[in-house]
Amino acid sequence: MTALSPHALDGPVLVVGCGLIGTSVGLALRQHDVDVVLHDALPGHAELAVSLGAGRPLTDDVVPYLVVVAVPPSASASVVVESLDRWPEALVTDVTSVKSGVQSSVDGTPGVDRFAGGHPMAGSERSGPMAASAQLFEGRPWAVTPSAATRPAALDAVVDLALHVGGVPIVMDPTAHDRAVALVSHVPQVMSTLTAARLNDAAGNDLALSGPGLRDTTRIAASDGAMWLDILGTNARDVKAVLELVRDDLDRVIGAIGHDDEVLAGVLESGRRGTTLIPGKHGSSAARFDLVHVQVADRPGELSRLMTDTGESGVNIEDLRLDHDLGRPVGLAEIAVALGVGQSLVQALTSRGWTAYL
Amino acid sequence: MTALSPHALDGPVLVVGCGLIGTSVGLALRQHDVDVVLHDALPGHAELAVSLGAGRPLTDDVVPYLVVVAVPPSASASVVVESLDRWPEALVTDVTSVKSGVQSSVDGTPGVDRFAGGHPMAGSERSGPMAASAQLFEGRPWAVTPSAATRPAALDAVVDLALHVGGVPIVMDPTAHDRAVALVSHVPQVMSTLTAARLNDAAGNDLALSGPGLRDTTRIAASDGAMWLDILGTNARDVKAVLELVRDDLDRVIGAIGHDDEVLAGVLESGRRGTTLIPGKHGSSAARFDLVHVQVADRPGELSRLMTDTGESGVNIEDLRLDHDLGRPVGLAEIAVALGVGQSLVQALTSRGWTAYL
């Protein structure tokens, strides 16, 4: 499905940081004729991104509507605060993979209401502007993490940004986000590393027996260590909490293996059940989803309100499409959810005042 | 590359057990016009495999040259011993994923010299004859695990079997095999399970943030629990030894995360280094291998001797091809190994009397 936004981003979008993510944002927005302005502390990166067609260079006369901070994680909080200060009318977001730290740096600063964090769940083993792609975010979740202080227009702009680049906006608070990524991204990364680390003990022809299962489970362990050191350090508390639960299960397996089939079967079954909870995008998906249709008025804030209400209903969004005829005051959102849960989403949205149906 | 065997399998190959593996062996051998005979304790399975073209039904007059025991793991040792007894001239192999247990059941029985274990590193999430495919083993490692008692003709027959079905024979002793599969298969399975098990703790929209990394690391956790309970139980000692080392690393990560970047960086780097050791089949492989050419005389035992000598040189075989003109007394084996190690394999093989060159 292709996501289409009902609102144009109202004015220049300034992308600060022209690496893989920033340049890809620029390329994707340019496909919708959004006015994109590019800046990077390394002028060469910005020039390269401009030459790739990701936008025009930043000049003093630019008054951005939205600033997308896409700098390395360690610089993100300070660039967000600087941007809120330098452009007192601009809405600001960032793309770092851990949200609480940036949010607490922004809390209490003037302009905190103009900030809503973001985290596109997309990347590549490669980095830098040359690795960028307008399709990088296509169909991928884009976490949008407003705080209690965020004004609706800021949340709306980030949801719009996610939709413009083809992503699926998922609205959650920064704390919930960090706990979620510990579970679905950071801990799997550590587990992949621990599995791959043992291969250094291989002798003789051991690794000649490698199959696709080993390649799949260890693929992400080949990622950039410096980046992961940064991510794991920033989300230490949440990652550690999950890893301690993993250690409990590992101790259980070590104790049970070869002795207690019941305990071992329980852990295997728990893992199998866990895999069934992952929203499935692969395969013939059409028949596997309920499609919930929701009428969305063409005014600022409606779409982000829908995303927030859907998120609070506890239903996972598998995919999202917006159909909107120019000139009509109402658009139609089509939300794909797991088979069997569509009716409960319809009820949840109806009780919140939406016109929703299967 | 397509693997071609220089020797025909000299007579009927009896496949006992017409599940996924047995039926696939039959289908693949039939493509080379090998005479395949099928038997299954469940007559319906055998009939279905026959109807799929995997071979002809077993009749009393059949005198098999090679018996391939492809029954469930728990029945494998007894069916191997029965087969050695029932067909006193036949060579016998099996396909179970753990080798020491079957080998110790066979050790000391009459006919032990006619047995060489095997383990094709191939499978599917599906099972049964309907899931079978003549291509199941194409390019996949097929571990061949002779004991000290195995006669050369038996080793030769199993290497030939692996080549006929398109596999890459890797000769190792049963003990080394079980340690290797703990590392490259059984422990990754447990790690995938432990990662997926944590997903049961997900709340709200957490899993909406799932990306390809999570799907890759947890894919094999969806496998059949009963099969893995059996495999892990049978290889308990080796799996436990590796899992204890994993736990040491996990404790190190839990202690270091957010406090000691040096320790954490060390574990991440160890994982990254581990991934580089996995033989790579994906991508544009041609330029990434050294090709070692070896002359192989057209007489029984030569090919398995070459596989054994290559294995003992400590070099991983990435791929293997045999060119053999009918009527010429010498064939040419082309062994693909990692870039840079071809010369050491040439030296190792030359010192063992082979004519080998890059």
Side-chain angles (χ1 to χ4, degrees), chain A residues 119 121 140-143 170-172 176-177 179-181 183-185 187-226 228-229 232-233 235-236 239-240 242-247 249-251 253-255 257-262 264-265 267-275 277-282 307 310-312 314-317, chain B residues 119 121 140-143 170-172 176-177 179-181 183-185 187-226 228-229 232-233 235-236 239-240 242-247 249-251 253-255 257-262 264-265 267-275 277-282 307 310-312 314-317:
Chain A
H119 176 209
M121 306 296 293
R140 294 298 187 87
W142 187 306
I170 310 286
V171 179
M172 10 184 25
H177 168 276
R179 196 199 55 230
V181 290
L183 208 55
V184 305
S185 171
V187 164
Q189 183 71 34
V190 171
M191 297 299 279
S192 184
T193 289
L194 296 178
T195 309
R198 295 272 55 79
L199 302 180
N200 294 294
D201 307 334
N205 242 343
D206 287 1
L207 295 180
L209 300 186
S210 305
L214 181 68
R215 292 198 183 90
D216 281 356
T217 52
T218 60
R219 186 182 60 81
I220 57 176
S223 306
D224 178 40
W228 276 102
L229 197 59
L232 296 175
N235 204 23
V239 174
K240 196 171 157 180
V242 180
L243 286 180
E244 281 168 350
L245 295 172
V246 168
R247 180 169 57 188
D249 267 357
L250 177 57
D251 283 340
V253 169
I254 290 174
I257 201 165
H259 295 104
D260 189 336
D261 273 4
E262 202 176 326
L264 196 52
V267 177
L268 289 169
E269 171 54 18
S270 168
R272 197 205 52 76
R273 205 170 50 239
T275 64
L277 303 174
I278 303 174
K281 287 265 172 60
H282 26 244
M307 293 296 101
T310 303
E312 286 176 356
V315 169
N316 279 330
I317 298 178
Chain B
H119 176 209
M121 306 296 291
R140 294 296 187 87
W142 187 304
I170 310 286
V171 179
M172 359 179 40
H177 169 275
R179 196 198 55 230
V181 290
L183 208 55
V184 306
S185 171
V187 164
Q189 183 71 34
V190 171
M191 297 298 278
S192 184
T193 289
L194 295 179
T195 309
R198 295 272 55 80
L199 301 181
N200 295 294
D201 307 335
N205 241 342
D206 288 1
L207 294 179
L209 301 186
S210 305
L214 180 67
R215 291 198 184 90
D216 282 356
T217 52
T218 60
R219 186 180 60 80
I220 56 176
S223 307
D224 178 40
W228 276 102
L229 197 60
L232 296 174
N235 204 22
V239 173
K240 195 172 160 181
V242 179
L243 286 180
E244 281 168 349
L245 296 171
V246 168
R247 180 169 57 188
D249 267 357
L250 177 57
D251 283 340
V253 169
I254 290 174
I257 202 165
H259 296 104
D260 189 337
D261 274 5
E262 202 175 326
L264 196 52
V267 177
L268 289 169
E269 170 55 18
S270 168
R272 198 204 52 76
R273 203 169 54 242
T275 64
L277 303 174
I278 303 173
K281 287 263 171 63
H282 27 245
M307 293 296 99
T310 302
E312 286 176 356
V315 169
N316 279 332
I317 299 178

Side-chain angles (χ1 to χ4, degrees), chain B residues 4 21 60 63 95 120 154 245 265 317:
Chain B
L4 296 169
I21 300 292
D60 285 343
V63 180
V95 300
L245 296 171
I317 299 178

Side-chain angles (χ1 to χ4, degrees), chain A:
Chain A
M1 294 187 192
T2 309
L4 295 170
S5 168
H7 308 296
L9 287 165
D10 286 334
V13 174
L14 169 61
V15 176
V16 180
C18 300
L20 169 71
I21 300 291
T23 306
S24 296
V25 166
L27 291 171
L29 291 179
R30 289 300 302 137
Q31 294 201 326
H32 295 281
D33 290 326
V34 174
D35 181 16
V36 180
V37 180
L38 301 166
H39 178 66
D40 196 296
L42 300 169
H45 267 201
E47 281 165 29
L48 186 51
V50 169
S51 74
L52 293 169
R56 61 187 171 100
L58 176 62
T59 48
D60 285 342
D61 61 320
V62 169
V63 180
Y65 170 76
L66 173 66
V67 181
V68 180
V69 175
V71 299
S74 54
S76 196
S78 62
V79 176
V80 166
V81 172
E82 282 163 31
S83 300
L84 289 167
D85 180 55
R86 178 164 171 192
W87 292 289
E89 300 299 316
L91 307 172
V92 178
T93 188
D94 73 322
V95 301
T96 49
S97 27
V98 183
K99 304 318 305 174
S100 308
V102 175
Q103 188 61 51
S104 57
S105 299
V106 177
D107 283 341
T109 66
V112 58
D113 61 306
R114 290 181 284 119
F115 174 72
H119 176 209
M121 306 296 293
S124 166
E125 270 103 42
R126 300 184 302 151
S127 61
M130 289 302 291
S133 154
Q135 280 74 47
L136 188 65
F137 312 105
E138 199 65 48
R140 294 298 187 87
W142 187 306
V144 184
T145 60
S147 71
T150 301
R151 67 167 77 159
L155 172 55
D156 209 40
V158 184
V159 167
D160 252 19
L161 170 70
L163 289 169
H164 265 89
V165 301
V168 179
I170 310 286
V171 179
M172 10 184 25
D173 75 58
T175 315
H177 168 276
D178 291 355
R179 196 199 55 230
V181 290
L183 208 55
V184 305
S185 171
H186 305 173
V187 164
Q189 183 71 34
V190 171
M191 297 299 279
S192 184
T193 289
L194 296 178
T195 309
R198 295 272 55 79
L199 302 180
N200 294 294
D201 307 334
N205 242 343
D206 287 1
L207 295 180
L209 300 186
S210 305
L214 181 68
R215 292 198 183 90
D216 281 356
T217 52
T218 60
R219 186 182 60 81
I220 57 176
S223 306
D224 178 40
M227 184 187 79
W228 276 102
L229 197 59
D230 194 37
I231 293 174
L232 296 175
T234 318
N235 204 23
R237 203 176 45 97
D238 284 311
V239 174
K240 196 171 157 180
V242 180
L243 286 180
E244 281 168 350
L245 295 172
V246 168
R247 180 169 57 188
D248 291 346
D249 267 357
L250 177 57
D251 283 340
R252 209 166 286 137
V253 169
I254 290 174
I257 201 165
H259 295 104
D260 189 336
D261 273 4
E262 202 176 326
V263 167
L264 196 52
V267 177
L268 289 169
E269 171 54 18
S270 168
R272 197 205 52 76
R273 205 170 50 239
T275 64
T276 66
L277 303 174
I278 303 174
K281 287 265 172 60
H282 26 244
S284 53
S285 57
R288 293 167 45 222
F289 297 123
D290 279 348
L291 295 178
V292 174
H293 299 87
V294 191
Q295 288 186 8
V296 184
D298 184 17
R299 57 173 179 261
E302 283 300 282
L303 197 56
S304 39
R305 193 165 67 83
L306 174 61
M307 293 296 101
T308 306
D309 286 351
T310 303
E312 286 176 356
S313 79
V315 169
N316 279 330
I317 298 178
E318 303 275 351
D319 211 339
L320 172 72
R321 187 163 88 166
L322 283 163
D323 285 324
H324 189 76
D325 290 336
L326 288 172
R328 287 191 59 221
V330 172
L332 192 63
E334 184 181 272
I335 303 176
V337 298
L339 274 184
V341 304
Q343 192 54 50
S344 71
L345 179 59
V346 166
Q347 282 164 9
L349 292 176
T350 304
S351 74
R352 284 168 164 91
W354 296 93
T355 301
Y357 49 92
L358 273 177

